[in-house]
Amino acid sequence: MTEPTLTDVERALDRAAGLETAEAVSVLRTARQDVRDLANNPDVDEERRQELETRLEQRIREVKERDAYDSGLGSAMNPAEDDAP
């Protein structure tokens, strides 16, 4: 198997946008590990690599928060006016 590239990581980031939560998190975590593994490669643009790692971390948080909101936690935290006491 060949070593992933930053372009591969960017593709995984884009692909995860259309996936269900569990699968998206799995793809994003794999991409995050790939981008971390690339830190040891002297041929990789370190600034771009760090930017991708930050984007991956943010996207994982967003997906998890979206899932929590969709599961009802968000509506419990932000009740509609009809539900307010």
Side-chain angles (χ1 to χ4, degrees), residues 9 13 16 22 29:
V9 172
L13 185 61
R29 284 183 175 157

Side-chain angles (χ1 to χ4, degrees), residues 13-14 16-22 24-26 28-29 32 51-71 73-74:
L13 185 61
D14 291 339
L19 300 175
E20 293 294 323
T21 301
V25 169
S26 177
L28 292 168
R29 284 183 175 157
R32 179 179 59 189
E51 178 185 301
L52 272 174
E53 186 172 4
T54 300
R55 286 177 55 201
L56 285 162
E57 292 290 341
Q58 290 171 341
R59 188 68 184 121
I60 290 169
R61 278 194 307 275
E62 288 171 4
V63 169
K64 286 181 175 181
E65 288 172 6
R66 176 189 70 195
D67 185 50
Y69 189 83
D70 289 347
S71 69
L73 178 61

